[in-house]
Amino acid sequence: AQSVTQLGSHVSVSEGALVLLRCNYSSSVPPYLFWYVQYPNQGLQLLLKYTTGATLVKGINGFEAEFKKSETSFHLTKPSAHMSDAAEYFCAVIRSMFSGGYNKLIFGAGTRLAVHP
Amino acid sequence: KAGVTQTPRYLIKTRGQQVTLSCSPISGHRSVSWYQQTPGQGLQFLFEYFSETQRNKGNFPGRFSGRQFSNSRSEMNVSTLELGDSALYLCASSPKGQLNEKLFFGSGTQLSVL
């Protein structure tokens, strides 16, 4: 069964500093992996996704993530944090296609990112 | 193109009552999924509909039900409300509900059960 673990429920960085949000997955088959962001009082917005192909995935707002099969990780990074990046970030894995799970996302617990001046 | 619209935005109910939440997907999207978000349990999958058929269901009691209409709009119903049902209910749509598709989320309905 697929699962996702996000290390660190809260991360605080200075404006302009590197953002690193950690995500490890568990999957018995090649996973489809996603990062979503949730701003206060809003729904979720897709930042980026990995399905197949290139392991370094670039997303919106300057974020990128690298799929590392050997480490079962899909960490999210951004070289320089901006105040507007303050939000909650969710890593997610899609349920295996072999069990017929259309669009059934398994979410991590989330990481709240704070950016201070 | 209008986004995913969920109504109402806020709802207050008392224990034992029932509630119906509505979701209008992006035009042309035929798959609608529902998720429950709580501080304790995080985001959990409720169910997914495609062309008026439920294709997937999460681990929720039978008090949680849903349906989808021919225009792809979806409703979810919770009967005999419990305090623990207080949550943000999110609806998401996608064109076909395929595994690698991007989900578009609405802003959610915040349900409070007193």
Side-chain angles (χ1 to χ4, degrees), chain A residues 26-48:
Chain A
S26 170
S27 175
S28 56
V29 296
Y32 287 5
L33 294 160
F34 304 79
W35 274 100
Y36 280 84
V37 61
Q38 186 177 32
Y39 298 101
N41 300 314
Q42 294 187 27
L44 281 72
Q45 179 183 4
L46 180 68
L47 279 176
L48 47 81

Side-chain angles (χ1 to χ4, degrees), chain B residues 7-59:
Chain B
T7 56
R9 185 70 179 91
Y10 300 94
L11 208 49
I12 300 175
K13 292 287 187 179
T14 56
R15 280 180 298 173
Q17 286 186 311
Q18 75 165 20
V19 67
T20 299
L21 313 181
S22 179
C23 172
S24 293
I26 289 174
S27 178
H29 286 192
R30 295 166 64 191
S31 169
V32 174
S33 305
W34 289 88
Y35 290 82
Q36 182 196 62
Q37 185 176 22
T38 60
Q41 299 297 318
L43 282 153
Q44 293 187 286
F45 174 80
L46 280 157
F47 25 65
E48 187 253 355
Y49 286 87
F50 180 81
S51 291
E52 301 179 68
T53 300
Q54 186 183 90
R55 292 194 300 192
N56 259 306
K57 190 176 190 305
N59 295 324

Side-chain angles (χ1 to χ4, degrees), chain A residues 4 7 22 32 40 42 46 54 57 73-74 81 99 101 107 109 112 116:
Chain A
V4 170
L7 300 176
R22 301 177 187 273
Y32 287 5
Q42 294 187 27
L46 180 68
V57 181
S73 69
F74 190 57
S99 58
F107 285 93
R112 189 168 297 277
H116 51 85

Side-chain angles (χ1 to χ4, degrees), chain B residues 37-113:
Chain B
Q37 185 176 22
T38 60
Q41 299 297 318
L43 282 153
Q44 293 187 286
F45 174 80
L46 280 157
F47 25 65
E48 187 253 355
Y49 286 87
F50 180 81
S51 291
E52 301 179 68
T53 300
Q54 186 183 90
R55 292 194 300 192
N56 259 306
K57 190 176 190 305
N59 295 324
F60 279 82
R63 300 184 297 105
F64 291 81
S65 63
R67 60 178 176 169
Q68 186 181 35
F69 302 95
S70 58
N71 62 357
S72 294
R73 189 177 71 86
S74 178
E75 289 181 348
M76 67 163 282
N77 184 276
V78 187
S79 63
T80 319
L81 283 166
E82 300 177 0
L83 295 179
D85 298 333
S86 295
L88 179 66
Y89 290 88
L90 293 167
C91 164
S93 76
S94 69
K96 299 178 184 178
Q98 293 178 346
L99 289 174
N100 62 348
E101 284 182 349
K102 173 181 177 179
L103 290 183
F104 292 82
F105 282 82
S107 296
T109 293
Q110 183 68 55
L111 172 65
S112 298
V113 182

